[in-house]
Amino acid sequence: MSDSEETGLEARLAEQEAFEPPAEFVEQANVSDPSIYEEFENDWPGCWERAADLVDWETDYDEVLVDDDEPFYEWFVGGELNASYNCLDRHLDSRGDERAIRWEGEPGDTREFTYAELHREVNEFAAALRELGVEEDDVVTMYMPMIPELPIAMLACARIGAPHSVVFAGFSADALATRMNAADSQFLVTCDGYYRRGDALDHLSKADDGLAGVDHGTTTVVVDRLGDGHDLGDDHFDYDDLVADHAGAEVDPVTRDAEDMLFLMYTSGTTGEPKGVKHSTGGYLSYVSWTSHAVLDVKPDDTYWCAADIGWITGHSYIVYGPLALGTTTVMYEGTPDHPDNDRLWELVDGYDVTQLYTAPTAIRAFMKWGEEYPDRHDLSSLRLLGTVGEPINPKAWKWYYRHIGDESCPVVDTWWQTETGGMMITTLPGIGTMKPGSAGPPLPGVDARVVDADGEEVAPGEAGYLTVDRPWPGMLRTLYKNDERFIEEYWDAYSGSDEWVYFPEDGAKIDDDGYITVLGRVDDVINVSGHRLGTMEIESAVVDVEGVAEAAAVGGDHKMKGEAVYTYVILEDGYEEGEEMEAAIIGGVEEAIGPIARPEEVVFTPELPKTRSGKIMRRLLEDIANDDELGNTSTLRNPDVVDDIEAKVTGD
Ligand code: WT7
């Protein structure tokens, strides 16, 4: 293609605000009849049987939805099933020899599991867990990077009815301890280490440090990922030995009630305490199967790749449960996209003939910065669909993805959802909906999302408001673990009326004339760094734990690559000195308490923080300073001068 043609095309794309799904895609799409929206509307909640039909039930459910005790909704009541059976056993006859998982390590080592092989190893590890004393309903924690033993351990737990709680491997030892204590979890599955940008990272020391902070007895299993003779610890069980000891074991999948807990996932909220989001077996599995089918267009013969980490909800729903329930091949990659070079993802797409790619805007912005020469080195024509999740995507990045990765022949689904929703809620259906870059799209069929003002009244198109979900859905969280009260406070109190329960996801949004929703971002004190959620309170408490810090505020500021980054404003105690040493101590303190993803972009020392007359820190002002925006209203400030001082420090004026 000549330069002028290229420029012409770029210019056309830059202007275009709406894209139709490619005809070739529509022809083969799992869902392509627009009447589905009306069908779901006219038959609600019965429409959700469509989702439940994608799952095998041991005992059929009696009722789709029971709402006697709102907002503690129950779905597919009376139904019994097992998630591991659905992801493995039921595929054995038809797909036993087909690949379930294709894994690639960062150094280029590969492993593959057919459904039969995965079934075997899950059974063996399930038998081992039982022998170690894991009983039904015991919470098993996993602290593991992207290695096949992570989904194996999750499915082994699901098989014996033990809920799992996966802690992202990038989180710190403290974060692990907090979560194990909160869940009263007595079992841990972890590993010796993993590869990151060419280095073998030690993970076990971090796990051991975490275990030292657990306030009850624990049993730990360690996977030998590095294979370097690394000491796996005398008081730990070696994963390979356990599996070998149970070679050929078969464990009957335990019958679970639809409403029984499948897993817990801790996520950040507005307080320093992470929230234990509880997901069900029947509703969750039905919902992720349905959305994998309808939105990601997953078919058994696909090689589907969600490039997220299983340590987050995206990986649970769309690397493990959704794709495996549908019997497809799911790809897992251990490392980063820039190792050994910036084309690693494209090399994988090319080499594995990946059919769908689902990733985050933060990654897409990095690809865009690196340039199209990297994807251009590879044949990406196997791709049929692209997806994004985790944060708002700017139209420029959307179009770059559409053009340079999808070659204008793949629909792009921009999917809005949360840890709490279990699966996707707002997005176009790729075989039906016009795509508008920057806007996620209409709510999925059966999902009642709206944009309202502070009084709960729907706002006019184009106006900013708050996102609400006015009807329950099968994939919803059931409660916060051992904390029903906080569950109601956090998600239901804001907009529910006397006879009507409304879910509040704590996001701001706007809606257009076609009912397309653009999600603007969090309206609570949660920061979204590279698609990962961090609570400002968690960061602040880590900062004030550093010796010499008297007071701290953490806010999110715009960041070109990460979406948002952490900015901290710090008041020191008398006798401590501002400067690099203190800054390093603060950054180190945050990394230790939470993990490197929470690392502050900037530490600003200040004699005071802007506060309201009632003494509340005015975060909005600090955000404006971080963003270099025009400052909001300072008239209610107790100490207005401080704003100028802080601003001068940040901008260096
Ligand atoms: C928050 C949820 C869902 C898996 C990954 C994150 C933001 C998510 C989008 C999107 C705009 C988005 C929201 C949401 N978010 N997807 N497509 N467009 N914003 O899960 O850690 O629970 O974070 O991520 O602010 O509330 P999470």
Side-chain angles (χ1 to χ4, degrees):
M1 197 180 287
S2 77
D3 270 2
S4 63
E5 265 171 336
E6 177 78 28
T7 323
L9 187 60
E10 295 291 338
R12 177 173 63 69
L13 273 182
E15 277 168 21
Q16 199 173 334
E17 295 313 328
F19 298 79
E20 292 310 317
E24 244 177 84
F25 182 90
V26 176
E27 267 166 38
Q28 60 79 60
N30 285 343
V31 177
S32 58
D33 184 349
S35 62
I36 187 167
Y37 287 94
E38 222 182 289
E39 280 166 29
F40 268 57
E41 213 45 49
N42 294 340
D43 179 31
W44 195 94
C47 55
W48 290 115
E49 293 203 26
R50 280 232 219 168
D53 283 348
L54 294 173
V55 164
D56 277 6
W57 298 83
E58 225 172 291
T59 313
D60 220 351
Y61 49 88
D62 309 311
E63 266 181 277
V64 171
L65 172 65
V66 171
D67 59 1
D68 317 330
D69 183 20
E70 293 170 295
F72 300 95
Y73 298 95
E74 295 178 290
W75 287 90
F76 309 124
V77 177
E80 293 180 319
L81 75 168
N82 180 284
S84 150
Y85 174 87
N86 270 282
C87 291
L88 300 168
D89 305 55
R90 68 162 169 164
H91 305 311
L92 290 178
D93 281 346
S94 57
R95 306 193 58 79
D97 296 330
E98 305 293 334
R99 298 179 183 112
I101 296 179
R102 296 191 76 174
W103 175 87
E104 184 157 321
E106 197 189 71
D109 45 339
T110 59
R111 290 168 71 190
E112 293 188 349
F113 294 80
T114 62
Y115 273 94
E117 288 162 346
L118 191 63
H119 176 261
R120 183 179 328 130
E121 191 151 330
V122 166
N123 270 275
E124 290 165 350
F125 192 53
L129 286 175
R130 271 222 177 124
E131 195 195 286
L132 293 177
V134 179
E135 288 178 16
E136 195 173 346
D137 294 320
D138 284 347
V139 176
V140 177
T141 302
M142 280 139 220
Y143 186 43
M144 281 209 251
M146 288 288 287
I147 55 176
E149 287 79 3
L150 175 52
I152 288 170
M154 291 162 74
L155 292 168
C157 284
R159 197 163 191 88
I160 59 176
H164 51 75
S165 164
V166 180
V167 178
F168 175 56
F171 276 146
S172 68
D174 286 0
L176 172 66
T178 309
R179 286 157 178 74
M180 287 189 74
N181 287 331
D184 196 18
S185 171
Q186 306 181 15
F187 300 91
L188 175 68
V189 186
T190 184
C191 72
D192 58 343
Y194 55 102
Y195 292 95
R196 261 300 169 283
R197 297 200 170 89
D199 294 329
L201 295 192
D202 172 15
H203 187 63
L204 189 56
S205 313
K206 227 169 47 161
D208 280 333
D209 286 351
L211 284 169
V214 175
D215 55 21
H216 52 257
T218 51
T219 301
T220 299
V221 177
V222 182
V223 176
D224 183 2
R225 154 65 182 128
L226 299 177
D228 58 356
H230 197 101
D231 182 8
L232 301 182
D234 291 340
D235 51 348
H236 297 332
F237 293 88
D238 175 50
Y239 174 93
D240 291 326
D241 289 348
L242 287 175
V243 167
D245 287 348
H246 294 86
E250 282 190 26
V251 174
D252 285 340
V254 165
T255 305
R256 300 285 280 170
D257 270 356
E259 280 296 312
D260 279 343
M261 168 160 57
L262 179 59
F263 66 88
L264 264 180
M265 165 123 257
Y266 282 90
T267 187
S268 295
T270 34
T271 74
E273 270 308 289
K275 307 187 272 198
V277 170
K278 177 181 159 183
H279 280 293
S280 69
T281 307
Y284 173 82
L285 197 66
S286 302
Y287 200 71
V288 298
S289 301
W290 165 250
T291 44
S292 297
H293 169 83
V295 181
L296 297 169
D297 201 46
V298 168
K299 300 177 168 65
D301 288 332
D302 285 337
T303 299
Y304 157 87
W305 186 16
C306 166
D309 192 293
I310 295 177
W312 307 99
I313 191 73
T314 309
H316 280 54
S317 301
Y318 299 113
I319 297 176
V320 184
Y321 287 111
L324 293 179
L326 296 184
T328 195
T329 302
T330 184
V331 175
M332 284 177 69
Y333 168 58
E334 177 185 40
T336 61
D338 56 354
H339 188 83
D341 202 351
N342 293 343
D343 66 340
R344 186 60 185 273
L345 257 47
W346 318 126
E347 187 183 286
L348 286 162
V349 168
D350 189 353
Y352 289 71
D353 288 326
V354 169
T355 41
Q356 292 99 326
L357 178 68
Y358 188 33
T359 187
T362 192
I364 298 166
R365 287 192 293 267
F367 304 147
M368 194 162 84
K369 188 179 122 202
W370 297 337
E372 56 247 38
E373 63 176 282
Y374 295 100
D376 285 354
R377 285 183 195 168
H378 300 278
D379 177 4
L380 307 182
S381 60
S382 56
L383 287 170
R384 184 171 89 241
L385 172 138
L386 299 173
T388 90
V389 59
E391 43 178 325
I393 181 163
N394 44 312
K396 199 172 166 198
W398 192 102
K399 288 174 189 173
W400 189 91
Y401 194 37
Y402 178 71
R403 161 94 180 92
H404 294 287
I405 307 305
D407 195 26
E408 293 186 69
S409 58
C410 303
V412 175
V413 284
D414 172 0
T415 60
W416 177 88
W417 57 292
Q418 314 178 292
T419 304
E420 292 87 343
T421 68
M424 300 158 178
M425 300 287 282
I426 302 176
T427 175
T428 50
L429 283 169
I432 298 175
T434 304
M435 299 168 272
K436 301 187 191 183
S439 174
L444 281 174
V447 171
D448 186 4
R450 305 177 186 202
V451 182
V452 303
D453 63 17
D455 300 322
E457 298 297 324
E458 283 185 64
V459 301
E463 270 176 40
Y466 301 99
L467 189 62
T468 58
V469 185
D470 291 47
R471 272 193 315 224
W473 65 100
M476 68 198 304
L477 79 164
R478 294 308 193 259
T479 189
L480 292 178
Y481 192 53
K482 295 187 190 159
N483 206 341
D484 290 346
E485 216 170 291
R486 190 172 174 198
F487 168 65
I488 293 180
E489 258 169 46
E490 291 258 356
Y491 305 108
W492 304 94
D493 269 355
Y495 287 104
S496 300
S498 49
D499 60 348
E500 168 196 53
W501 290 85
V502 173
Y503 174 82
F504 180 42
E506 302 185 273
D507 270 337
K510 58 183 186 179
I511 190 162
D512 73 7
D513 289 319
D514 302 322
Y516 275 52
I517 294 176
T518 297
V519 177
L520 301 168
R522 307 283 309 186
V523 294
D524 56 359
D525 294 328
V526 167
I527 310 181
N528 190 331
V529 179
S530 303
H532 301 325
R533 189 158 143 188
L534 300 168
T536 51
M537 287 282 281
E538 281 171 271
I539 301 170
E540 283 165 11
S541 67
V543 175
V544 293
D545 278 348
V546 174
E547 195 189 316
V549 174
E551 217 182 315
V555 301
D558 297 341
H559 189 278
K560 251 194 134 131
M561 304 302 288
K562 303 176 185 172
E564 277 188 292
V566 180
Y567 290 80
T568 48
Y569 300 86
V570 177
I571 304 176
L572 294 182
E573 284 169 4
D574 286 346
Y576 286 87
E577 251 181 66
E578 300 176 3
E580 273 172 34
E581 215 171 296
M582 201 64 215
E583 187 175 341
I586 289 167
I587 291 174
V590 173
E591 289 197 348
E592 198 174 307
I594 304 168
I597 43 162
R599 187 189 167 90
E601 192 71 16
E602 205 164 318
V603 177
V604 181
F605 296 104
T606 169
E608 259 187 274
L609 289 166
K611 288 194 180 153
T612 60
R613 286 176 206 285
S614 61
K616 209 171 167 263
I617 297 173
M618 295 202 52
R619 292 166 184 287
R620 292 283 169 268
L621 276 180
L622 293 172
E623 282 166 16
D624 286 349
I625 294 171
N627 292 335
D628 209 3
D629 280 348
E630 205 132 315
L631 292 180
N633 186 1
T634 56
S635 62
T636 54
L637 270 182
R638 195 179 59 196
N639 47 357
D641 292 347
V642 70
V643 173
D644 294 337
D645 293 350
I646 299 176
E647 212 186 8
K649 284 208 168 194
V650 174
T651 56
D653 295 343

